[in-house]
């Protein structure tokens, strides 16, 4: 039951910061510059912190080279995860990577055709949304308020007001958009799990290397 509830609410938007934070974004360049930085003897020597930790007196834990390699692979994992995220993230993220931003931007940018397409998709599922059920009569009321009669003919009547219709039927439109985001947020779930796994490995490797350095600094301080 708990897993079913977790999986039902599991989606990309909850993991954006984990996969697309500033460290993963910078990590995209690691495969290109890693040899020039991490495996360059001159620069690598500056990153070993031998003076800081007094490594000559510490005989346990990782060596400087092992720690640098672990950092390298950590950043590679994070970079690959971020790259997959950029390729496989839901299309709806073009308008916002969380439901609040998406609804706000969609209300401002979507056309009647966009809402009509969403309505048809939800209608096939019995008019059910995450906010509850709505009826065709509600949609028809919005449609009548938003459109002008006789459009495309010589008998057009300027009876519709798009902005006023959005304001009057805001609750209906938000329900449609919430449901649309909820469904879109759960697409390509296999790739989401892959991104989380790679990012988790990357952060774990960075944590291990950081803890190794921190403990050696503490050990060296106590020893002195």
């Amino acid at each position: 039951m708990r897993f079913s509830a977790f999986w039902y609410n599991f989606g990309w938007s909850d993991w954006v910061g984990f996969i697309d934070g500033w460290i993963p974004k910078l990590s995209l360049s690691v495969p290109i510059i890693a040899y020039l930085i991490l495996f360059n003897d001159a620069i690598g020597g500056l990153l070993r912190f031998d003076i800081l930790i007094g490594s000559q007196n510490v005989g346990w834990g990782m060596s400087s080279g092992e720690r640098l390699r672990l950092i390298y692979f950590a950043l590679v994992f994070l970079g690959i995860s971020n790259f997959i995220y950029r390729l496989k993230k839901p299309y709806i993220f073009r308008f916002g990577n969380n439901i609040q931003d998406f609804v706000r931007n969609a209300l401002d940018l979507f056309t009647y055709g966009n809402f009509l397409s969403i309505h048809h998709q939800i209608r096939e599922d019995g008019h059910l949304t995450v906010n509850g059920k709505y009826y065709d009569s509600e949609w028809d009321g919005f449609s009548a308020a938003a459109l002008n009669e006789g459009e495309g003919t010589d008998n057009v009547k300027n009876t519709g007001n798009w902005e006023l219709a959005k304001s009057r039927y805001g609750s209906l439109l938000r329900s449609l958009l919430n449901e649309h985001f909820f469904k879109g947020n759960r697409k390509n779930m296999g790739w989401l799990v892959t991104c989380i796994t790679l990012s988790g490995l990357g952060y774990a490797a960075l944590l291990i290397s950081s803890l190794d350095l921190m403990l050696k600094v503490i050990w060296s301080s106590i020893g002195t």
Side-chain angles (χ1 to χ4, degrees), residues 127-195:
H127 299 91
L128 293 176
T129 72
V130 292
N131 300 113
K133 187 175 183 179
Y134 73 97
Y135 299 92
D136 277 336
S137 58
E138 295 178 77
W139 173 261
D140 292 340
F142 165 70
S143 181
L147 299 178
N148 294 317
E149 296 181 26
E151 282 190 337
T153 72
D154 294 332
N155 300 316
V156 62
K157 297 179 181 179
N158 296 318
T159 57
N161 186 314
W162 175 241
E163 295 301 329
L164 181 59
K166 287 198 296 181
S167 176
R168 287 178 57 191
Y169 291 87
S171 178
L172 170 64
L173 299 183
R174 285 180 173 83
S175 293
L176 296 175
L177 293 173
N178 286 339
E179 179 66 15
H180 188 61
F181 183 88
F182 179 79
K183 289 182 177 179
N185 192 37
R186 289 178 49 80
K187 291 185 176 181
N188 299 328
M189 296 293 280
W191 287 113
L192 172 57
V193 173
T194 300
C195 288

Side-chain angles (χ1 to χ4, degrees), residues 12 85 88-94 184-188:
W12 289 83
Y85 165 81
K88 299 298 181 179
K89 64 182 178 181
Y91 175 81
I92 56 173
F93 277 24
R94 294 190 177 191
N185 192 37
R186 289 178 49 80
K187 291 185 176 181
N188 299 328

